[in-house]
Amino acid sequence: MIRLFVEQLTVLDCAFLDPQRGLVGESWIVDVELAGDLDQQSMVLDFGEVKKRLKKLLDGIGDHQLLVPHRHAGLKLQHNSQGSELHFSGPTDGPIEHRSPADAICVVDAPTITTESLTAHLQPLVAQQVPTNVAEVRLHLRHEVVDGAYYHYAHGLKKHIGHCQRIAHGHRSRIEIRLDGRREAALEQAWASRWKDIYLGTQEDVVLDSAERVRFEYTSVDGDFALELPAQRCELLDGDTTVEKLARYIARTVHAEHPGRQVEVRAYEGVMKGAIARAG
């Protein structure tokens, strides 16, 4: 047998429920290896077919979904004609409640969501999509190596016509901030700490806002969505939480703290994509 590999076949931008961290935005890079005999083209599998079959499958399973640990003791999950509702009582500062169409969540048969448990969930599904000459499929999920600061954020974009409208998906994102052209590591780390495992919500979607809890609700093209979580895990923005607006929000905030300076923010949305905003 011979092995075929594809590095960074796709990136899973998603969110997951964690008993300590709460609602966590995440970006997993997915590499794949296929071992097998050569076909009539003298290939294990044509690279075009790898993308057509496997990338499409992966993008439809975990990408832009909320990953739910089915065997966690604090999870209560119900499915009905309107979709799925869950109550997650893991975090010590309060439970997380979520309602959405059924395809906005991915149920993983594990007590916690980890790189290993998600790999174990995805790998047999991918193996079903390869031809008979492929004897083995290996997935490798990894994080982008970041030389600097990054944060994990979750959000939902109700105006989006694609999967970004799902109220609880997210990203692991780099942040770069420059003052007068000079990179400012301390400022970058301050924002990474501020947005550590944060939910970035739109003010107009709030239906409950107290000192303890915040609840968001909206209806988009795909259906009705709701999310309620501890207030300390949220930051409310005036407007949509697209990466363009997040970059501008950071730039304007930094400029207000450093008047007279030229501010440039390079905010990432997951891996190798994002927006640049300037102020001053």
Side-chain angles (χ1 to χ4, degrees):
M1 289 194 300
I2 191 167
R3 290 188 176 274
L4 185 77
F5 68 89
V6 179
E7 296 177 351
Q8 197 164 330
L9 174 63
T10 192
V11 177
L12 301 181
D13 287 314
C14 55
F16 66 91
L17 296 173
D18 184 86
Q20 280 78 46
R21 299 169 66 187
L23 178 64
V24 183
E26 188 59 275
S27 297
W28 270 292
I29 299 169
V30 183
D31 305 323
V32 63
E33 287 187 15
L34 308 176
D37 298 321
L38 302 184
D39 61 14
Q40 66 273 15
Q41 303 179 87
S42 298
M43 300 176 178
V44 176
L45 186 63
D46 181 81
F47 286 124
E49 282 296 303
V50 173
K51 293 181 179 180
K52 180 180 177 181
R53 296 183 186 213
L54 306 189
K55 184 180 186 302
K56 182 179 179 180
L57 174 71
L58 290 166
D59 289 346
I61 298 176
D63 189 51
H64 285 75
Q65 290 183 319
L66 174 62
L67 310 182
V68 178
H70 192 241
R71 288 195 276 121
H72 188 272
L75 175 70
K76 295 180 181 178
L77 176 62
Q78 294 182 332
H79 302 286
N80 53 49
S81 59
Q82 283 74 45
S84 301
E85 296 186 22
L86 67 83
H87 181 97
F88 185 70
S89 59
T92 56
D93 57 353
I96 296 170
E97 298 178 10
H98 179 270
R99 185 184 75 237
S100 72
D103 61 2
I105 68 169
C106 176
V107 180
V108 178
D109 186 24
T112 56
I113 303 296
T114 63
T115 301
E116 294 73 22
S117 65
L118 183 57
T119 302
H121 176 76
L122 295 174
Q123 193 157 279
L125 300 175
V126 173
Q128 296 173 12
Q129 300 298 313
V130 297
T132 56
N133 67 297
V134 178
E136 183 184 5
V137 176
R138 291 184 183 177
L139 292 184
H140 178 218
L141 272 61
R142 59 185 170 91
H143 293 124
E144 178 189 24
V145 177
V146 177
D147 181 18
Y150 62 90
Y151 41 68
H152 296 256
Y153 74 90
H155 67 156
L157 303 174
K158 65 176 180 293
K159 299 174 185 176
H160 194 264
I161 60 174
H163 294 330
C164 290
Q165 66 188 267
R166 293 168 176 171
I167 199 168
H169 74 278
H171 314 273
R172 177 184 185 264
S173 300
R174 298 164 58 186
I175 177 70
E176 297 177 8
I177 301 174
R178 290 174 171 81
L179 294 181
D180 298 330
R182 180 175 179 177
R183 187 94 175 261
E184 296 289 339
L187 275 176
E188 293 169 1
Q189 190 55 56
W191 278 90
S193 298
R194 175 172 173 168
W195 281 0
K196 179 182 178 181
D197 299 340
I198 197 74
Y199 185 81
L200 300 178
T202 299
Q203 183 70 56
E204 68 181 23
D205 299 331
V206 174
V207 297
L208 169 66
D209 186 4
S210 70
E212 295 79 26
R213 307 280 293 171
V214 180
R215 184 176 181 86
F216 304 90
E217 293 183 3
Y218 60 72
T219 299
S220 66
V221 174
D222 279 358
D224 296 328
F225 292 87
L227 177 69
E228 185 175 320
L229 66 170
Q232 67 180 21
R233 296 181 182 267
C234 305
E235 182 160 340
L236 300 181
L237 280 71
D238 184 17
D240 300 319
T241 55
T242 61
V243 69
E244 294 91 340
K245 287 206 167 185
L246 296 183
R248 187 169 67 181
Y249 176 75
I250 296 171
R252 289 177 173 178
T253 304
V254 171
H255 183 258
E257 296 167 349
H258 298 83
R261 308 287 296 276
Q262 296 292 320
V263 179
E264 179 180 284
V265 172
R266 190 178 184 92
Y268 285 74
E269 185 183 72
V271 179
M272 297 177 67
K273 64 185 191 299
I276 300 170
R278 298 180 177 92

